[in-house]
């Protein structure tokens, strides 16, 4: 069953990323500032992710009020702590190896997304959306 959960989780991740990117693009094209557009787009993607992962990916029967704070904590640590650490770490290694420019940052971003994917799935599966009575 874990494989199907992982597949559903990956699909939700693709959709919430598209929500974020499309909304960010539309809002900035309409003249909204980058910070405001990013706040709206990431919040929209995160909200979609919470409800769809809870109901479909993990089929959690726990009330939303029990899962929303742990979901936000896991998601925000991933985005605001792990992502920057991986991006800056990858960039430092890349510079040490003689690479410069945007490609090093993009490689770091891709690596950060991969680390975040594993981080989020593990915590969502084992803690946030864990079924009542499931072993810890």
């Amino acid at each position: 069953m874990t494989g199907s959960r992982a597949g559903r989780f990956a699909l939700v991740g693709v959709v919430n990323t598209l929500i974020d990117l499309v909304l960010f693009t539309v809002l900035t094209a309409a003249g909204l500032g980058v910070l405001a557009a990013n706040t709206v787009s990431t919040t929209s993607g995160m909200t979609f992710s919470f409800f769809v992962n809870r109901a479909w990916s993990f089929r959690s029967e726990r009330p939303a009020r029990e899962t929303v704070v742990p979901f936000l904590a896991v998601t925000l640590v991933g985005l605001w702590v792990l992502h920057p650490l991986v991006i800056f770490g990858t960039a430092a290694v890349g510079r040490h190896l003689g690479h410069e420019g945007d490609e090093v940052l993009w490689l770091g971003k891709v690596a950060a997304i991969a680390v975040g994917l594993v981080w989020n799935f593990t915590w969502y599966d084992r803690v946030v959306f864990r079924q009542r009575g499931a072993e810890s």
Side-chain angles (χ1 to χ4, degrees):
M1 186 65 143
T2 300
S4 61
R5 263 195 315 266
R8 291 188 302 262
F9 171 78
L11 182 58
V12 171
V14 168
V15 174
N16 73 42
T17 300
L18 288 173
I19 289 169
D20 178 12
L21 292 172
V22 169
L23 196 51
F24 179 80
T25 301
V26 168
L27 292 172
T28 54
L32 195 61
V34 169
L35 185 57
N38 189 62
T39 300
V40 170
S41 68
T42 57
T43 300
S44 298
M46 222 180 348
T47 301
F48 172 84
S49 175
F50 172 74
F51 286 106
V52 178
N53 272 317
R54 185 180 158 274
W56 185 60
S57 300
F58 297 96
R59 297 183 176 151
S60 178
E61 296 173 1
R62 296 172 63 197
R65 70 181 178 280
E66 289 181 12
T67 56
V68 69
V69 171
F71 173 86
L72 287 172
V74 166
T75 303
L76 295 176
V77 165
L79 290 173
W80 294 347
V81 177
L82 292 178
H83 276 223
L85 287 173
V86 172
I87 291 167
F88 290 130
T90 302
V93 169
R95 282 192 302 276
H96 179 74
L97 296 174
H99 300 284
E100 295 293 330
D102 291 342
E103 67 275 357
V104 174
L105 289 178
W106 280 104
L107 178 61
K109 182 63 174 172
V110 169
I113 289 169
V115 168
L117 178 93
V118 173
W119 166 267
N120 286 345
F121 180 79
T122 301
W123 280 96
Y124 294 171
D125 187 50
R126 296 185 182 172
V127 177
V128 176
F129 299 121
R130 181 178 47 87
Q131 296 301 320
R132 289 185 176 152
E135 290 183 28
S136 299

